[in-house]
Amino acid sequence: RIEKYPLYILVGLGTGELVRDLLPSTMFTLGLLAIFALVTLISAWFIFRSAQRRESAIGILAKREAEFARTAAQIPGVISRFQLLPDGRMRVPFVSEAVRDVFGLAPEEICDDAARLFARVHADDVAVVNNAIGESVRSLAPISMQYRVVLPHRGARWLRTDSQPVREEDGSTTWYGYSFDITEQKRVEQTLRENESQLAVILESTTDGILAATCDGMVLRANSRFARMWGIPADLVASGNHHAMLDFVREKLVDPDAYIARVRALYQSSEEEICIVPRLDGQFFERASAPLMVDGRLYGRVWSFRDVTTQKQLEMKLTSQLAMTEAIIIAEVDGLSVCKAIADVPYVQFTVW
C-alpha cells in the first residue's frame, strides 16, 4: 500500500488481510450512502405530502369559490370586488352573475377594465359616483351612494351601492361591496312624497286645527292652524310631543285637570267624541276626536278643533234672553194685542180683523 495514493498494490497479500484493510472505509461509504438515501427519501416524502396538501388546499379553495359563486348567483344584487390601481386603472376581479341584470354587462367585460361599467352611469350622477370614490380613497371611508344607470333595453334605473375599502400593499384600493336595484323603492318614495304634499295642502286649507298622534302621544301630523289656535310655539310643535303641548295649554283652560285627564283616557279608547272646550279668555273650541286604527288595532287618535266662540256666545245670549222673557199679561184692545215682558219691553202684534 502506497500511503500517498489511494492505490493498493497486492504483493503477496492474502484475501483476509485485504478485506481487513478495505472494510472500514467501505462501511463508512455505505453509511454515508444510506444516510443520503434516507434524507432523499424523507425529503421526497415531505415534498409529496406538501404537494398533496397544496392540491388539497387548492381543491378546497376552488370548491369554496364555486359554492360562493353559486350562493352569490342567488342574491338579487351584485356582489363585487372593485379595484382602483395606482396607475388609475379600474378593474373588477370578481363580480356575481347578477351584474348581467343590474348593469347589463357580462362579468368578463369588466374584469380587467371597468370603463364599460362606469359608462352606464347616468350623466347627471357621474359627479356623485366620482366624488364618493375619491373621498373613500382619501379617507378609507365606506361608500354608500344612490345613483342612476342607463341600461340599453330598460332605460334609467336607480341603484344603491354599499362597499368597504381596503388599502393594498401595492397602493391600490379594493372595495368589497354590494349593489342592488332600488327603482321600485324610489317610485314608492316619490308617490309618498306626492301624497304627503297633497295631504299637507288639504290640512292647511281647512279652518280647523288638526292634530294626529299615536297612543303614546307622539305627533304624526299637525297643521299650522292647530298651533295658532292654541298659541303653541313652533319648537314645541316640532318636538312632536302631545303631552308637552297639553302641559303648555293648561293655563289657557277653565278646567285643565279634567280636560287633560279626558284626553289621556281617550288615547286608550276607541270611542268617538265631540265636546265644547271653554277657555279662560272667553273663547270656545269644539273638539272632535276619533280613533286612528291600523290593521284593526288602536294606533292613535285624530283631534280636530274648531273655533265656535261666536256661535256659542249667540247661543248663550239667546238662552239668557229666553230665560228672562216671560209673558205675564196679554190684553186685547180694539184688535191690538199687547205683551208685557218682565224687562218692561212691549212686544206689539197687530192682528187683522
Side-chain angles (χ1 to χ4, degrees):
R1 178 180 182 184
I2 302 175
E3 295 295 336
K4 187 175 181 180
Y5 300 99
L7 175 66
Y8 290 92
I9 301 176
L10 301 181
V11 181
L13 293 178
T15 304
E17 185 179 354
L18 177 61
V19 171
R20 283 196 305 271
D21 290 340
L22 291 177
L23 185 61
S25 60
T26 302
M27 293 299 295
F28 178 75
T29 302
L30 291 176
L32 288 179
L33 290 175
I35 293 174
F36 177 76
L38 180 61
V39 171
T40 303
L41 181 61
I42 294 174
S43 298
W45 183 83
F46 275 109
I47 292 172
F48 174 74
R49 291 295 298 165
S50 177
Q52 277 191 324
R53 286 194 296 268
R54 184 167 59 252
E55 290 178 0
S56 176
I58 293 174
I60 293 173
L61 181 60
K63 182 179 179 181
R64 289 179 178 177
E65 287 182 350
E67 291 175 350
F68 177 76
R70 285 195 297 270
T71 302
Q74 305 306 313
I75 298 175
V78 178
I79 298 175
S80 64
R81 180 160 61 94
F82 170 76
Q83 284 185 327
L84 176 62
L85 303 177
D87 60 5
R89 290 183 298 112
M90 296 174 290
R91 57 192 298 266
V92 187
F94 173 81
V95 64
S96 61
E97 285 293 320
V99 71
R100 299 178 186 274
D101 180 59
V102 176
F103 286 94
L105 294 167
E108 58 271 15
E109 292 182 273
I110 56 176
C111 179
D112 296 321
D113 187 356
R116 298 189 67 177
L117 180 70
F118 281 88
R120 292 278 196 262
V121 178
H122 193 286
D124 294 341
D125 295 336
V126 170
V128 173
V129 174
N130 289 339
N131 291 340
I133 293 175
E135 177 59 29
S136 184
V137 170
R138 287 189 294 272
S139 63
L140 288 183
I143 290 178
S144 182
M145 60 181 175
Q146 297 181 6
Y147 56 97
R148 288 164 293 177
V149 294
V150 181
L151 305 184
H153 304 294
R154 302 178 65 190
R157 307 288 296 180
W158 276 98
L159 302 182
R160 173 172 175 169
T161 294
D162 296 292
S163 60
Q164 182 68 43
V166 175
R167 188 84 74 211
E168 306 293 354
E169 293 182 358
D170 62 357
S172 63
T173 305
T174 302
W175 286 269
Y176 297 86
Y178 178 62
S179 302
F180 54 101
D181 193 310
I182 58 170
T183 304
E184 292 305 317
Q185 175 186 329
K186 283 291 186 179
R187 288 175 180 169
V188 171
E189 291 176 355
Q190 179 62 29
T191 300
L192 290 176
R193 282 195 296 269
E194 292 174 355
N195 292 341
E196 181 78 7
S197 178
Q198 293 172 3
L199 178 59
V201 171
I202 293 172
L203 290 177
E204 292 301 326
S205 65
T206 181
T207 57
D208 294 349
I210 304 294
L211 173 74
T214 62
C215 289
D216 58 1
M218 295 305 297
V219 175
L220 300 172
R221 295 288 311 202
N223 65 357
S224 58
R225 176 65 176 166
F226 167 79
R228 289 197 302 270
M229 290 178 68
W230 287 101
I232 301 176
D235 59 340
L236 184 54
V237 175
S239 72
N241 190 332
H242 189 203
H243 297 303
M245 297 180 194
L246 288 174
D247 292 336
F248 177 82
V249 302
R250 173 185 288 272
E251 61 184 18
K252 302 176 184 290
L253 301 169
V254 172
D255 190 354
D257 292 336
Y259 177 85
I260 294 175
R262 183 56 182 162
V263 168
R264 290 176 176 167
L266 285 173
Y267 267 124
Q268 308 306 317
S269 172
S270 60
E271 65 177 298
E272 297 183 3
E273 182 182 79
I274 297 178
C275 66
I276 300 299
V277 180
R279 294 171 40 132
L280 289 175
D281 60 4
Q283 286 186 296
F284 292 88
F285 288 169
E286 180 187 78
R287 186 194 69 195
S289 179
L292 181 61
M293 310 297 291
V294 176
D295 295 330
R297 296 183 297 105
L298 181 63
Y299 182 70
R301 293 194 74 83
V302 178
W303 308 86
S304 174
F305 298 88
R306 177 174 297 176
D307 191 339
V308 293
T309 303
T310 301
Q311 176 185 340
K312 193 64 179 176
Q313 288 175 345
L314 289 174
E315 290 177 358
M316 293 173 63
K317 183 177 181 180
L318 179 60
T319 301
S320 177
Q321 288 178 347
L322 291 176
M324 292 178 60
T325 304
E326 181 181 354
I328 60 174
I329 194 167
I330 299 177
E332 294 182 3
V333 179
D334 296 332
L336 178 65
S337 296
V338 179
C339 175
K340 185 175 183 347
I342 294 177
D344 210 20
V345 178
Y347 171 75
V348 181
Q349 177 179 0
F350 294 91
T351 305
V352 179
W353 294 88

